[in-house]
Amino acid sequence: MVAITSSLLLTLSTFIVSFSSLYIPSRSSSIDPFVYGGCTQEKYAPNSPYESNINSLLTSLVNSATYSSYNNYTVMMGSSPQDVIYDFYQCRGDLFMPDCATSVARAVSQVGSFCPYNSSGALQLQGCYIKYDNTTFLGVEDKTMVLKKCGWSVGYDSDGMCRRDSVLAALVGSSGPCSVGGSGNVQGLAQCVGDLIFTECQDCVMEAIGRVKSECGGAVYGDMFLAKCYARYSTGGAQFYSKMHHDKSSNEGEKTFAIIIGLLDGVSLLVILLTFVRKVFGENGK
């Protein structure tokens, strides 16, 4: 019997580690950056039933986001209204499900540190929005301004503002809760939370569009987030949403290329290993 030398064991270990390390690189994504967050001042006790139920609800959000871009949950801990917790998540309407699930998982992992032991909390990332509260908010229209963000002004540009206004106006006519559009170098996006009915959604989006136009004027971009909807635009070719909308064929091509490269690396390692083993066996047979 040929003894396996320590050098051979080291090579085998190196090969196994190298082969098991082959992976498909994750895509660079813009779904994670923080947009805004908020918490109530009311606190709950650590290790309490309330904390357990919040954790359970947040876990449900992560699980649901693998197959749906919106969902909400309600849990009742006792008989009083104060014992009820509501939560929901909403993904960007132009995201594929894997990106939606990733964004919701990131939001859930961050909201605990952002709102430690707060009875209510909300977190908006570029790719999704999550919220939990012990006061019902589901199905309630709310046009309170949460965040306004305007870019730098480029002065009065009648043609540019006309294209922007046309793009934003077209967003209102969408039949769904999310609408994207563009004209030339102008991009627009509007979305409602999924618990609003169609007329409430349209009303909220029109309010957000009116505010972002009046508040941001001739700015190169503008974001207007209301409590239940938002409207955003950008000019100058800044595609703030298309970076999060991956092309399937391109993505599959990236995956295939990564797999091929990984397999070639594995084959190369295998050839090197077999050459070394043959050499060791040849020397021991002399």
Side-chain angles (χ1 to χ4, degrees):
M1 179 181 292
V2 178
I4 299 177
T5 65
S6 57
S7 297
L8 179 57
L9 286 174
L10 177 60
T11 304
L12 283 169
S13 300
T14 303
F15 173 76
I16 292 169
V17 171
S18 299
F19 195 80
S20 63
S21 298
L22 300 178
Y23 68 102
I24 300 171
S26 60
R27 295 162 296 177
S28 60
S29 177
S30 302
I31 61 176
D32 297 332
F34 174 87
V35 178
Y36 70 84
C39 321
T40 59
Q41 299 204 357
E42 181 185 359
K43 298 276 190 174
Y44 60 83
N47 303 316
S48 63
Y50 194 92
E51 179 180 27
S52 176
N53 280 280
I54 286 180
N55 291 336
S56 176
L57 283 172
L58 292 177
T59 300
S60 297
L61 299 189
V62 175
N63 294 335
S64 177
T66 60
Y67 59 85
S68 177
S69 61
Y70 167 80
N71 213 338
N72 66 75
Y73 295 90
T74 302
V75 63
M76 179 172 287
M77 302 176 294
S79 56
S80 68
Q82 291 76 24
D83 294 330
V84 182
I85 307 176
Y86 311 86
D87 76 346
F88 83 96
Y89 73 91
Q90 172 91 55
C91 284
R92 283 276 304 271
D94 60 333
L95 293 186
F96 291 115
M97 292 317 305
D99 291 331
C100 173
T102 298
S103 184
V104 171
R106 293 286 174 85
V108 167
S109 69
Q110 295 174 24
V111 73
S113 56
F114 189 81
C115 299
Y117 305 115
N118 295 90
S119 298
S120 305
L123 192 63
Q124 173 80 59
L125 302 183
Q126 289 286 358
C128 70
Y129 177 53
I130 68 169
K131 180 177 180 178
Y132 65 88
D133 204 330
N134 55 6
T135 302
T136 182
F137 56 86
L138 299 173
V140 179
E141 186 178 9
D142 187 352
K143 295 183 285 188
T144 304
M145 187 174 73
V146 179
L147 175 70
K148 175 193 74 175
K149 189 175 180 181
C150 302
W152 60 94
S153 178
V154 292
Y156 184 75
D157 176 7
S158 59
D159 183 54
M161 292 184 70
C162 182
R163 287 200 307 273
R164 180 203 66 179
D165 293 351
S166 296
V167 168
L168 290 175
L171 300 179
V172 181
S174 172
S175 59
C178 179
S179 179
V180 296
S183 174
N185 63 349
V186 181
Q187 307 285 335
L189 168 68
Q191 183 163 1
C192 298
V193 174
D195 62 330
L196 295 183
I197 62 175
F198 176 75
T199 54
E200 293 173 335
C201 175
Q202 296 292 288
D203 183 49
C204 189
V205 168
M206 285 191 291
E207 179 75 15
I209 288 174
R211 290 194 190 186
V212 77
K213 288 166 58 178
S214 63
E215 295 283 347
C216 295
V220 295
Y221 69 85
D223 297 341
M224 182 60 64
F225 285 84
L226 307 184
K228 281 297 184 78
C229 72
Y230 60 79
R232 311 177 72 182
Y233 76 87
S234 68
T235 62
Q239 299 180 1
F240 57 81
Y241 66 84
S242 61
K243 292 179 182 178
M244 290 171 272
H245 188 92
H246 304 292
D247 178 73
K248 277 187 175 180
S249 60
S250 172
N251 182 43
E252 291 302 321
E254 290 174 5
K255 288 183 178 179
T256 303
F257 178 76
I259 292 171
I260 291 172
I261 294 300
L263 289 174
L264 289 175
D265 287 343
V267 170
S268 299
L269 286 170
L270 182 59
V271 170
I272 294 170
L273 175 62
L274 291 175
T275 302
F276 182 81
V277 170
R278 187 181 301 164
K279 181 179 179 182
V280 171
F281 278 29
E283 289 176 352
N284 288 337
K286 291 181 180 179

